[in-house]
Amino acid sequence: MTTQEPSSMSPLKATVNCDMGEGFSLYTISDDEALMKTIHLANVACGFHASDFSVMDKTVRLAKEHSVLVGAHPSLPDRQGFGRREMKMKLEELISCFVYQVGALCGFLQRYGLVLNHIKPHGAIYGQTARSDELARAAVSVCKIFSTEDHQIAFVGLAGTAHQTAAEDLGVRFIPEWFADLDYSQSGELIITQIHAPVKHDTICDRVERLLKYHEVSTNANTVIPLGRNINEVTICCHSDTPGAVENARLVKSLVDESNRLAGYFV
């Protein structure tokens, strides 16, 4: 880590998000009920890497009970690999793949009187779309399909990547995301693992405080890099399948709440 502290700037307005509803049938992967109490945004699995109609229904209902905004978390069709293996897809295929999944979630949102807040790709396709302008535009374009004149769907993605460029080019609201429980390479690339390792709470605190106060991302090379350009808000992801997920989310939520309070932000 750099030893010299940078000059302070206005803290980032922040929220906490989590990938939810990633069980299937009788199988569960996380304590969604406890996690839902610690977040602002829920990214709900739509059936291609995890979830089914019963899990999706329960997850949306929990989100409503806890006043959590719901986003779609579409994946490549890879349930066996939990959506964390890369796959080649034509642009039209990817659009149709996402529309299929987001449409399914919207049915449950309508059942409970909720609206779709955002779309955040899952796993491998999250990384692929961050690196490819064409794939990013295809993914972001799905937000426009489900938007109306009265309600615009946001896109959650990595700042300073094809995610942000595509959203800006297509006129879609962009919500920059940062991950509390994953590492970043020295070049700033998110390291997406198939199985997430536990993260020490001291490490999470250091990472979150640096991000919110200085707009900087800690890397696995003990260096820091800027979060990105034109960024004044961030949503922090705590994965539901990381060991200690509930405790991690509670910790991040407490840090975010305190930062927002001191800066006078209302979330």
Side-chain angles (χ1 to χ4, degrees):
M1 190 69 64
T2 54
T3 55
Q4 183 178 2
E5 290 293 325
S7 59
S8 184
M9 53 187 70
S10 297
L12 290 168
K13 183 178 182 179
T15 57
V16 181
N17 79 81
C18 186
D19 304 339
M20 308 287 287
E22 293 186 317
F24 177 76
S25 183
L26 300 179
Y27 302 97
T28 57
I29 198 169
S30 63
D31 188 348
D32 281 5
E33 293 193 36
L35 282 166
M36 202 68 81
K37 300 174 183 178
T38 68
I39 62 175
H40 304 96
L41 312 178
N43 318 305
V44 179
C46 301
F48 274 23
H49 75 281
S51 193
D52 58 29
F53 46 84
S54 296
V55 173
M56 207 180 301
D57 182 271
K58 179 182 178 181
T59 307
V60 172
R61 176 170 50 80
L62 281 172
K64 181 174 183 178
E65 290 176 1
H66 295 285
S67 301
V68 172
L69 298 175
V70 176
H73 199 38
S75 166
L76 294 171
D78 178 28
R79 183 171 287 170
Q80 185 67 27
F82 202 66
R84 289 177 178 159
R85 300 183 294 191
E86 291 196 359
M87 182 184 299
K88 289 185 178 180
M89 256 193 184
K90 296 178 181 178
L91 299 180
E92 283 300 321
E93 280 186 305
L94 181 61
I95 292 171
S96 296
C97 177
F98 276 22
V99 168
Y100 185 96
Q101 295 175 78
V102 177
L105 176 63
C106 285
F108 292 102
L109 291 173
Q110 185 173 356
R111 179 182 187 187
Y112 290 100
L114 301 178
V115 295
L116 183 68
N117 183 69
H118 63 276
I119 294 175
K120 171 191 165 181
H122 167 81
I125 194 61
Y126 185 92
Q128 288 178 258
T129 52
R131 299 189 301 270
S132 166
D133 290 334
E134 287 189 334
L135 289 175
R137 289 180 69 89
V140 172
S141 72
V142 179
C143 293
K144 297 180 74 71
I145 293 172
F146 288 92
S147 293
T148 66
E149 290 186 5
D150 299 326
H151 183 70
Q152 302 298 308
I153 309 302
F155 187 85
V156 172
L158 291 175
T161 71
H163 286 163
Q164 184 173 0
T165 301
E168 290 173 350
D169 289 348
L170 295 176
V172 170
R173 182 192 170 203
F174 178 68
I175 304 177
E177 182 175 38
W178 176 85
F179 293 81
D181 52 8
L182 292 182
D183 288 331
Y184 288 77
S185 71
Q186 190 170 5
S187 63
E189 183 175 343
L190 179 68
I191 301 174
I192 300 174
T193 54
Q194 190 165 22
I195 299 176
H196 299 330
V199 185
K200 294 180 180 179
H201 281 186
D202 287 348
T203 300
I204 291 177
C205 284
D206 290 344
R207 290 174 174 177
V208 171
E209 289 176 352
R210 179 167 288 277
L211 174 81
L212 297 180
K213 188 175 182 181
Y214 300 119
H215 306 193
E216 290 181 337
V217 175
S218 305
T219 77
N220 61 359
N222 292 323
T223 59
V224 293
I225 57 176
L227 175 63
R229 57 180 172 78
N230 302 325
I231 302 298
N232 54 25
E233 68 171 320
V234 68
T235 185
I236 300 177
C237 179
C238 296
H239 284 100
S240 62
D241 62 319
T242 297
V246 175
E247 292 76 17
N248 291 345
R250 285 176 181 154
L251 173 60
V252 174
K253 178 70 159 46
S254 67
L255 294 170
V256 163
D257 285 348
E258 179 66 5
S259 178
N260 285 338
R261 184 187 68 80
L262 292 174
Y265 298 142
F266 176 77
V267 175

